[in-house]
Amino acid sequence: MTLTAATRLAAVVGRPIRHSLSPVLHNAWLEAAGLDGAYVALSVSEGRFGAFVDALRGGSLTGVNVTLPFKTEALAAADIASERALAAGAANLLLFDPDGQVRADNTDGEGLLYAFARQAPDFRPDHGPLVIFGAGGAARGAAAAFLAAGCPEVRIVNRTRSRAEDLASLFGQKVRVGEPGDRSLLEDAAALVNASSAGLAEGAPPPQDLGSAPARAVAMDMTYRPLRTAFLAAAEGRGLRTVDGLDMLIGQAIPSFEAFFGQPPPAGADVRGRVLRILGEAT
């Protein structure tokens, strides 16, 4: 890669950030497209995110993707926010206009639906209820995306009920709270999404037994490290179709790339295969 005075620069921002695979995706696309651009990872100290954003006003970078723990701060730092960023209560994309304004968007929901479309192509969010395990920002984004796509009902299951109730209160009557372990919540579900950290520790069980889920249900885990989580293993054991979190990462990056560099990523670049090799997974 040769950088020039005209190189368009973008970045991903978080803390910690060394684990991020976003530079792999974006730089692979830049290379395949032959664009004069570069994408890097930046770490920002907690308490300094607002100052970081202000320093970039005017377009020294075209924009940044934002990951944990700064997504809510990113929304607050923006001058203009998209409807989907407001619905999610967070931003994973900031764009820096030449006039100094900062625009916020959230492409996580788009990435979530992209992953379902890639790995369960006949699935439609309006086919039935969605059950979400977890009540943090990822769960809020998933609920917002599915409701916008026509999902008739979202059920939030979380170990701390008050957090689930707080989340449900943001969306109205189509979102309700379920009790952990309530098998009836899954009986007519069209989709199950794990937006929690349950099951990620070595030997830890998934957030709930999936035995009552219908055979048509699709199960997704939003993490991609590991790619095959305890939740997905349990879903496979039940005979359910599964969706991993890697395609969500790719799906949220596609509109970000276009916003940064002015054109969609080249279709022929096998970024999933490149990331799988980095992760040491079989392609």
Side-chain angles (χ1 to χ4, degrees):
M1 179 188 301
T2 301
L3 302 182
T4 73
T7 300
R8 292 174 67 88
L9 298 175
V12 59
V13 183
R15 186 176 182 90
I17 198 62
R18 292 183 65 182
H19 68 285
S20 177
L21 293 173
S22 291
V24 177
L25 302 178
H26 286 270
N27 287 312
W29 284 329
L30 285 167
E31 180 182 354
L35 295 177
D36 185 8
Y39 186 100
V40 298
L42 300 174
S43 178
V44 176
S45 299
E46 291 188 32
R48 298 293 300 166
F49 185 80
F52 168 82
V53 171
D54 285 339
L56 294 176
R57 288 180 181 272
S60 53
L61 268 66
T62 60
V64 295
N65 286 124
V66 183
T67 188
L68 296 175
F70 299 123
K71 289 187 178 184
T72 56
E73 290 184 62
L75 180 61
D79 303 301
I80 303 169
S82 68
E83 289 187 8
R84 58 189 183 181
L86 293 172
N92 76 322
L93 173 62
L94 293 179
L95 299 172
F96 303 109
D97 292 340
D99 64 2
Q101 284 200 314
V102 179
R103 291 180 287 126
D105 198 0
N106 192 309
T107 66
D108 283 336
E110 190 170 340
L112 177 71
L113 297 176
Y114 171 90
F116 271 84
R118 290 276 295 179
Q119 298 185 38
D122 62 338
F123 173 80
R124 288 173 43 187
D126 61 358
H127 279 177
L130 164 68
V131 179
I132 302 177
F133 301 100
R140 178 171 173 171
F146 264 73
L147 290 171
C151 181
E153 183 178 74
V154 175
R155 300 162 186 169
I156 307 295
V157 180
N158 193 60
R159 287 173 293 183
T160 305
R161 184 180 177 89
S162 61
R163 291 196 67 195
E165 290 173 342
D166 289 344
L167 176 56
S169 70
L170 299 173
F171 292 102
Q173 295 183 348
K174 286 189 175 181
V175 179
R176 67 183 181 92
V177 176
E179 291 294 331
D182 183 353
R183 293 171 59 86
S184 67
L185 291 172
L186 279 58
E187 289 176 352
D188 61 343
L192 315 170
V193 171
N194 184 27
S196 75
S197 60
L200 295 186
E202 185 72 25
Q208 184 163 325
D209 182 272
L210 305 182
S212 60
R216 67 184 179 92
V218 180
M220 178 189 183
D221 202 313
M222 295 177 76
T223 190
Y224 56 88
R225 279 182 162 166
L227 196 65
R228 187 176 184 270
T229 63
F231 181 77
L232 294 184
E236 290 171 357
R238 175 68 179 81
L240 307 182
R241 288 178 296 166
T242 60
V243 177
D244 63 57
L246 179 52
D247 270 333
M248 179 177 172
L249 176 72
I250 295 169
Q252 63 80 31
I254 291 171
S256 296
F257 182 92
E258 186 167 4
F260 295 147
F261 302 111
Q263 65 183 59
D270 181 20
V271 292
R272 180 179 172 91
R274 183 172 296 197
V275 171
L276 286 174
R277 287 190 290 273
I278 292 172
L279 294 175
E281 304 282 350
T283 55

